[in-house]
């Protein structure tokens, strides 16, 4: 694999806008909590690092990745958020549901972006093995939760810029 031993979560801090005053929703799947908790912590720490107040990070849990779409929609309906992150992990080798869940949540989240004109970020890992998930949840390949938060901040800033 070309990404072997590479931390894929490197980013240029100077290219990330301040997230002070922004409010973020985070929907977290309860499947594979060892991974989803690590992804949530990565996202939370990144929001705090760029200036978001702790009180402006609103977390809600859902039973599985399939429910991320509705969880995010319920948050979006409140019109209180600059962006929403969906966090989950579906491990290919461990479930025949893989294709159904990934397809559904990918399409569902795409639809929410368009329906609400709101950044809804795909923070769902789809690895082949648990080890690959661990590698991307604070392991050798970094933390995809950090990346999801960076994406949320950048898209929220773009939306504010273009709407003001
Ligand atoms: C049912 C199921 C299975 C087999 N595997 C996963 C998984 O790897 N990751 C995940 O987030 N959720 C899984 N689920 C649960 C579904 O997402 C969903 O919660 C149930 O099908 C109920 O709608």
């Amino acid at each position: 694999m070309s990404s072997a031993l590479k931390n894929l979560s490197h980013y240029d801090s100077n290219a990330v806008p301040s997230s002070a005053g922004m409010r973020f929703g985070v929907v977290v799947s309860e499947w594979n909590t060892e991974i989803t908790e690590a992804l949530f912590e990565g996202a939370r720490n990144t929001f705090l690092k760029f200036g978001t107040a702790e009180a402006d990070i609103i977390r809600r849990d859902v039973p599985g990745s399939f429910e991320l779409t509705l969880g995010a929609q319920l948050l979006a309906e409140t019109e209180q958020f600059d962006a929403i992150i969906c966090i989950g992990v579906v491990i290919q080798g461990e479930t025949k549901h893989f294709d159904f869940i990934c397809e559904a949540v990918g399409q569902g989240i795409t639809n929410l972006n368009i329906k609400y004109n709101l950044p809804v970020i795909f923070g769902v890992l789809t690895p082949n093995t648990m080890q690959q998930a661990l590698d991307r949840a604070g392991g050798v390949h970094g933390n995809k939760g950090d990346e999801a938060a960076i994406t949320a901040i950048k898209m929220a800033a773009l939306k504010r810029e273009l709407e003001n």
Side-chain angles (χ1 to χ4, degrees), residues 29-32 63-68 88-91 94-98 101:
S29 162
E30 291 169 351
W31 265 73
N32 301 306
S65 291
F66 188 80
E67 285 73 38
L68 288 170
V89 56
V90 194
I91 299 173
E94 293 185 5
T95 174
K96 291 197 168 97
H97 284 58
F98 182 85
I101 296 172

